[in-house]
Amino acid sequence: MKGPLSFQIFLSWGLLSQWILYTYATNKCTVMQEVADCSHLKLTHIPDDLPTNIKVLNLTHNQLKGLPPANFTRYSQLIVLDGGFNSVSKLEP
């Protein structure tokens, strides 16, 4: 009996850890070269942990309610910002 129970616990732990890793990985932006793709992640705020040298930031299809300029100061090389398909009702100067 020790064998099958140990295997079930091991299998359950393995599946749980894989699920946690998958969930964590799927909620992160994808960065390739100077482009950050943060689309379709259900974000409610602008990420502040992206490389500072990004030139393109895709925030489409999230749950953002605003795009405060202060959140972009660290991305001084940003040229393209796409915030479409969110709940933004007003843009600040």
Side-chain angles (χ1 to χ4, degrees), residues 38-46 58-67 81-89:
C38 301
S39 62
H40 300 277
L41 297 178
K42 299 182 181 177
L43 298 177
T44 57
H45 66 280
I46 298 160
N58 180 356
L59 294 168
T60 61
H61 300 278
N62 281 294
Q63 299 171 359
L64 299 170
K65 294 184 179 180
L67 299 172
L81 170 64
D82 191 347
F85 299 97
N86 280 283
S87 298
V88 177
S89 59

Side-chain angles (χ1 to χ4, degrees), residues 24 27-29 31 36 38 41 43-54 57-59 64 68-76 78 81:
Y24 178 75
N27 289 328
K28 297 296 264 179
C29 301
V31 179
C38 301
L41 297 178
L43 298 177
T44 57
H45 66 280
I46 298 160
D48 60 359
D49 60 348
L50 299 172
T52 56
N53 68 332
I54 59 171
L57 178 54
N58 180 356
L59 294 168
L64 299 170
N71 293 67
F72 299 103
T73 56
R74 63 178 280 119
Y75 307 123
S76 61
L78 193 63
L81 170 64

Side-chain angles (χ1 to χ4, degrees), residues 1-13:
M1 286 229 178
K2 182 181 176 189
L5 182 59
S6 297
F7 179 73
Q8 286 178 336
I9 292 171
F10 177 76
L11 182 63
S12 297
W13 178 254

